[in-house]
Amino acid sequence: MNEQVERIREEAAHAIAAAASPAALEALRVSTLGKKGQVTELMKTLGTLPPDARKNAGAELNRLKDELAAAIEMRAAALAGAELDARLAAERLDVTLPPRPHADGRIHPISQTIDEMVAIFGEMGFVVAEGPDIEDDFHNFTALNLPPEHPARQSHDTFYLAGAEADIAPKLLRTHTSPVQIRTMMTEKPPIRIVVPGRTYRCDYDATHSPNFHQIEGLVIDRTSHMGHLKGCLIEFARAYFDIPELPVRFRPSYFPFTEPSAEMDIGCSRAGGELRIGAGGDWLEILGCGMVHPKVLANCGIDPNEYQGFAFGMGIERVTMLKYGIPDLRTFYEADLRWLRHYGFLSIDTPSLTGGLSR
Ligand code: PHE
């Protein structure tokens, strides 16, 4: 009996340690510890031994059983670990594979300019606000201090929506982004510091006017912001956007019903030899309208003009995009000509820098 136990112990231990797969291991379990396995068969012969020998042999067989069971369990764990390692190695993902460049996609110059402007004003603490393209008379005109008979309304060449004649509150396509000033002041408490890029509409069409165009509006309302802040903010913006640190800038008195005083901002340029060069001396080019928010506009929005004040500005996005990137005709922005877009468009990696706009 002892010899047999020793033999099984040696052979089985060997075979178990060498089992190459879970299936091979299972076969070994069956052939040793299974119903008809070697150890089980020996157990069955215990009854034929004299009582003393039976006790010893029984204890020895039980020890062998425990040893084999433990060895099988160990080997099973080792095999499972090896299988996992093999799967991990086989299913490895190479995350270092470079992305395929998009050869044809381009960012439209208008989107690019909006991104650049938002980056510059964002750095100054402005947040983006938006409003609807279809506006009403109140937000587009009346609340901005343009009463019904105001002559400035004519200059806007408004698109009214069908049925507007009979309506008491006619719907229209917003002629500027300024109605978002009203919407923001009526729903938010000062301090307010927003920029509003968006689509605007006027009945106009030539090389420098399109019926559908874009503006960016700015509005700052708090207790202390004054004309000096307006100038500092816009000079800083213009120099960053055009990426010309010493860009000459001047403010000319102007008129808008919703600001008082009002001004237009010009940047220095040269037209010598018929070529427009921004930042050179000699000539001026208007780029935006601005002013201190009119007390009546504040009051129209429920803000006490004795307590709060601030400034606003508005600028045509196409115009400054044409100036910065030398695009001669505004109508081409909307022709969806792929050759044009490949030439003037931007790659998605041309991210605007926060302080310097984007120079190419
Ligand atoms: N809304 C004006 C326009 O469309 C621009 C402007 C905005 C002027 C804000 C002053 C202040 O011409």
Side-chain angles (χ1 to χ4, degrees):
M1 178 66 113
N2 270 352
E3 264 170 45
Q4 276 172 297
V5 168
E6 273 320 306
R7 193 173 43 77
I8 297 174
R9 178 173 272 136
E10 215 162 282
E11 286 178 8
H14 234 80
I16 289 168
S21 70
L25 193 61
E26 175 62 9
L28 280 167
R29 193 190 61 79
V30 172
S31 70
T32 50
L33 305 178
K35 259 193 195 141
K36 292 190 171 136
Q38 291 166 294
V39 180
T40 321
E41 292 296 335
L42 277 181
M43 289 274 200
K44 285 178 192 161
T45 65
L46 282 177
T48 64
L49 298 177
D52 259 6
R54 188 192 307 166
K55 208 175 156 202
N56 281 340
E60 193 55 35
L61 275 178
N62 271 330
R63 198 175 313 132
L64 175 62
K65 216 170 114 183
D66 290 346
E67 282 173 20
L68 293 182
I72 289 171
E73 203 173 301
M74 245 176 71
R75 183 63 189 154
L79 284 174
E83 195 191 332
L84 185 62
D85 286 348
R87 262 183 56 198
L88 285 176
E91 293 173 12
R92 172 114 121 239
L93 253 184
D94 182 1
V95 291
T96 63
L97 196 66
R100 288 178 200 89
H102 273 279
D104 283 341
R106 286 289 190 282
I107 309 286
H108 194 283
I110 290 184
S111 304
Q112 180 74 16
T113 295
I114 290 176
D115 287 351
E116 291 175 18
M117 290 178 167
V118 167
I120 295 167
F121 286 116
E123 184 80 335
M124 298 185 203
F126 286 78
V127 296
V128 172
E130 287 180 314
D133 288 14
I134 297 178
E135 264 299 359
D136 52 39
D137 194 83
F138 173 77
H139 291 93
N140 196 80
F141 292 127
T142 311
L144 285 162
N145 196 32
L146 286 95
E149 64 301 332
H150 201 288
R153 283 198 183 204
Q154 259 81 63
S155 71
H156 276 232
D157 301 319
T158 312
F159 285 114
Y160 284 95
L161 270 66
E165 308 81 14
D167 210 325
I168 341 149
K171 293 277 191 223
L172 50 90
L173 296 180
R174 65 179 180 188
T175 58
H176 50 180
T177 41
S178 303
V180 185
Q181 285 191 32
I182 303 301
R183 290 184 177 276
T184 305
M185 286 192 280
M186 291 184 85
T187 54
E188 281 171 33
K189 286 194 165 31
I192 291 170
R193 202 183 289 180
I194 54 161
V195 278
V196 186
R199 251 179 237 282
T200 45
Y201 307 83
R202 288 181 204 177
C203 311
D204 239 344
Y205 190 57
D206 61 38
T208 53
H209 296 90
S210 152
N212 159 4
F213 61 107
H214 296 74
Q215 287 190 335
I216 188 164
E217 187 90 10
L219 175 69
V220 173
I221 302 290
D222 55 29
R223 292 174 200 272
T224 53
S225 283
H226 52 66
M227 198 82 183
H229 295 119
L230 174 156
K231 292 174 74 176
C233 169
L234 293 176
I235 293 170
E236 186 73 19
F237 159 76
R239 292 181 174 164
Y241 174 71
F242 287 104
D243 205 5
I244 303 174
E246 300 300 320
L247 180 67
V249 176
R250 74 173 183 188
F251 289 82
R252 271 180 300 107
S254 183
Y255 172 78
F256 299 102
F258 33 90
T259 46
E260 182 61 33
S262 303
E264 264 156 322
M265 185 170 112
D266 297 341
I267 55 172
C269 68
S270 144
R271 291 186 173 85
E275 192 203 344
L276 180 68
R277 278 193 302 128
I278 301 210
D283 224 334
W284 295 99
L285 196 67
E286 179 212 319
I287 64 159
L288 60 82
C290 56
M292 298 304 295
V293 176
H294 198 296
K296 276 192 188 163
V297 174
L298 292 172
N300 287 345
C301 300
I303 292 178
D304 183 356
N306 293 316
E307 205 177 326
Y308 291 104
Q309 59 186 31
F311 61 88
F313 55 88
M315 166 172 34
I317 288 180
E318 281 80 350
R319 180 167 165 73
V320 290
T321 306
M322 289 164 78
L323 291 174
K324 180 168 175 178
Y325 297 113
I327 301 172
D329 189 329
L330 179 135
R331 288 166 294 200
T332 56
F333 278 107
Y334 307 106
E335 282 169 357
D337 184 334
L338 274 181
R339 293 165 305 176
W340 182 89
L341 196 55
R342 278 191 197 114
H343 182 77
Y344 288 113
F346 294 81
L347 292 171
S348 53
I349 51 171
D350 291 338
T351 9
S353 88
L354 289 177
T355 50
L358 179 99
S359 36
R360 321 195 280 171

